[in-house]
């Protein structure tokens, strides 16, 4: 919703998203302005009856001044706050490892993280946080984050920083942590520091490392392997003003006033609107951890040895960036308002879009293409193929109502794997989800979308989550009879496991005595298809009761399935006049044409290919037996 050019957040959003925004807003305020707030609190207390707290706290800070250089004093209770979980999920933050990555718990490691960003999110939430996948994969390691001494000098914020595992980035502090004989210690360091902070701009990555060699010398003295780490998306959280005059002021202030921290003029989002504010934008952050670079311990490394290892590290850092930059960070190009795809992307992404576009063309226009081929063949020497194929279709007309005709070779095409990875499509189940192999199930899927992606990729595909979790089941997709009247595309549909959605077909499949059969059905049908709009979910089910009657007749449990993201793949033209035409056509043909806009093969602005949006399919069982059925409340909320 936009008012006066300001884009406001929706009024009704899931509660967990409110928690996430609140967590990131509080985190950013504390770490950006917590020190200043602490100083103002101390100044205020000096003029109250509690004035004695200020000198007492100053004495404590003085006595405790060396703790940041002696391993800190982390607090497990603080580190396990649910706050950090919501903070991680706000963006969200994910982690990936380069091929051959492994850690030895008897050694200490120096993780060198890039870029710094306005306030680094990736290194903490992906590696240091107890809620991160890294800490769960390597629980035997202790992770510390090395920061400027400023954070451990300012009141109040120093206590929170030390509690979550922050230490000083001084040479003494790094030597203490990396020289611990028992091993199992990791230090996160941001070599680029403040220089990278005010070079941070969306879509740009500038690593300040060429003249930063102190961390290399530290690694050599302690024999600690160097690990390059890159957080893609770190620079997309804020926009900041960048001009020569401001840069000179920033340099001056950084050099003389703020102990190495430059002031930056940035813009993010607000709590209830997305146009301006100081909260980081909700952008995905993908942290990639490179292969550790082995380091031989040298008590007094020479400049030549430092240069050699530094060059090796820079080479590994550049190689890591080149390997993953096309996966997580795209250089966008616009021409005449059209946003083009990058020229250089990994080959697997080309396979994915080729698989998806060809699938969409076959499913949507396969029948029309088949008719044109027929018409063309009638005027060639192969004209006899047309009546022959028509006879075949007539003799084969009941196959779609008698279990179909699955060809496993077609179902195992790698094509379907690439298509699933295009979005990607994921499957999730509520906690008590389970299937009995001696029963048949009717999966009722919502919403239909323009062309349903989630139900096929997550449930019916050989590469989907359901088929992998329950390989003993056969999954069929129930579609309109009209699909089996179209030449060529009907053969592909039957091979993939499509059947008719008629009562006869559903009864045949759900009444099979051996069990182990699943039918996916879209009760909302074409009415949901032309109600499909990004961000909206309209389920047409109130007056659709035929599928319930079929389930009762066959004692087949009903499984409600929702594909979140299904409606985000296309924009659709919507008007009253068009709706009347759609209703008229749907009444007589059983389906309604829709005017859609997605993306093209080489650009993102328009086209008929679905947009690359994640689709998550979620299921829950409703049990029907005889003439009754009972439901279980979903105990889990989904985005």
């Amino acid at each position: 919703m936009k008012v006066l050019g300001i884009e406001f957040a929706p009024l009704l959003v899931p509660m967990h998203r409110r928690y996430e925004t609140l967590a990131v807003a509080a985190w950013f305020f504390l770490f950006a302005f917590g020190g200043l707030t602490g100083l103002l609190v101390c100044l205020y207390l000096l003029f109250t009856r509690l004035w004695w707290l200020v000198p007492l706290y100053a004495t404590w800070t003085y006595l405790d001044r060396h703790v940041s250089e002696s391993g800190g004093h982390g607090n497990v209770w603080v580190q396990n706050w649910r706050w950090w979980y919501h903070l991680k999920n706000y963006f969200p933050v994910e982690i990936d490892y380069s091929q051959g990555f492994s850690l030895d718990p008897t050694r200490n490691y120096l993780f060198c993280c890039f870029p710094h960003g306005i306030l680094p999110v990736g290194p903490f939430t992906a590696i240091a946080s107890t809620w991160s996948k890294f800490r769960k994969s390597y629980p035997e390691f202790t992770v510390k984050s090395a920061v400027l001494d400023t954070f451990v000098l300012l009141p109040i914020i120093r206590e929170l920083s030390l509690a979550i595992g922050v230490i000083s980035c001084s040479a003494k502090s790094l030597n203490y942590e990396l020289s611990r004989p028992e091993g199992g210690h990791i230090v996160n360091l941001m070599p680029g520091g403040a220089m990278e902070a005010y070079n941070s701009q969306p879509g740009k990555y500038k690593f300040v490392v060429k003249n930063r060699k102190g961390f290399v010398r530290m690694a050599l003295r302690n024999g600690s392997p160097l690990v390059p780490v890159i957080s893609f998306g770190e620079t997309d959280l804020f926009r900041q003003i960048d001009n020569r005059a401001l840069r000179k002021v920033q340099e001056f202030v950084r050099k003389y006033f703020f102990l190495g921290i430059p002031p930056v003029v940035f813009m993010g989002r607000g709590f209830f609107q997305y146009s301006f504010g100081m909260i980081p934008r909700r952008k995905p952050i993908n942290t990639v951890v490179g292969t550790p670079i082995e380091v031989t311990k040298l008590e007094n490394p020479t400049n030549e040895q430092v240069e050699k290892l530094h060059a090796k590290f820079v080479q590994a850092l550049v190689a890591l960036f080149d390997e993953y930059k096309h996966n997580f960070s795209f250089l966008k190009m616009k021409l005449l308002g059209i946003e083009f795809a990058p020229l250089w992307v990994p080959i697997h992404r080309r396979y994915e879009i080729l698989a998806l576009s060809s699938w969409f063309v076959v499913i949507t226009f396969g029948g029309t293409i088949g008719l044109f081929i027929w018409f063309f063949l009638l005027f060639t020497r192969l004209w006899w193929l047309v009546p022959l194929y028509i006879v075949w279709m007539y003799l084969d007309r009941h196959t779609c109502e008698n279990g179909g005709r699955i060809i496993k070779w077609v179902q195992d095409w790698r094509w379907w794997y690439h298509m699933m990875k295009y979005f990607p499509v994921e499957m999730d189940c509520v906690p008590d989800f389970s299937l009995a192999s001696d029963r048949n199930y009717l999966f009722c899927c919502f919403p239909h979308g323009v062309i349903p992606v989630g139900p096929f990729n997550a449930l019916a595909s050989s590469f989907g989550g359901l088929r992998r979790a329950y390989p003993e089941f056969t999954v069929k997709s129930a579609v309109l009879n009209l699909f089996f009247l179209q030449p060529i595309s009907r053969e592909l549909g039957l091979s993939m496991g499509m059947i008719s959605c008629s009562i006869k077909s559903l009864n045949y499949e759900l009444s099979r005595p051996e069990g182990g059969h699943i039918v996916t059905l879209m009760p909302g049908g074409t009415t949901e298809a032309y109600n499909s709009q990004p961000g909206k979910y309209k389920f047409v089910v109130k007056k659709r009761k035929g599928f319930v009657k079929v389930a009762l007749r066959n004692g087949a449990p009903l499984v409600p399935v929702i594909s979140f993201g299904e409606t985000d793949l296309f924009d659709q033209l919507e008007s009253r006049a068009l709706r009347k035409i759609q209703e008229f056509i749907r009444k007589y043909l059983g389906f309604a044409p829709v005017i859609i806009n997605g993306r093209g093969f080489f650009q993102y602005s328009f086209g008929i290919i679905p947009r690359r949006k994640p689709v998550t399919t979620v299921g829950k069982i409703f049990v029907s037996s005889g003439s009754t059925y009972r439901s279980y409340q979903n105990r889990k909320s989904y985005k």
Side-chain angles (χ1 to χ4, degrees), residues 35-110:
L36 178 61
T37 304
L39 290 173
L40 292 176
V41 170
C42 290
L43 182 63
Y44 170 77
L45 289 176
L46 283 174
F47 298 93
T48 68
R49 294 179 180 179
L50 299 175
W51 64 268
W52 53 273
L53 288 175
V54 178
L56 186 66
Y57 184 73
T59 302
W60 158 254
T61 303
Y62 177 78
L63 296 175
D64 196 48
R65 67 188 184 280
H66 296 305
V67 71
S68 64
E69 296 181 336
S70 305
H73 49 64
N75 187 299
V76 176
W77 175 71
V78 175
Q79 291 176 353
N80 287 329
W81 280 355
R82 190 77 175 177
W83 183 14
W84 312 120
Y85 171 78
H86 292 304
L87 176 66
K88 176 179 72 74
N89 287 340
Y90 171 84
F91 299 96
V93 179
E94 298 292 342
I95 190 168
D96 198 5
Y97 306 101
S98 62
Q99 189 174 2
F101 177 84
S102 63
L103 299 178
D104 181 358
T106 64
R107 305 187 68 182
N108 303 315
Y109 292 83
L110 182 58

Side-chain angles (χ1 to χ4, degrees), residues 189-203:
L189 181 68
M190 309 287 292
M195 289 296 292
E196 282 182 354
Y198 64 85
N199 281 319
S200 176
Q201 290 287 357

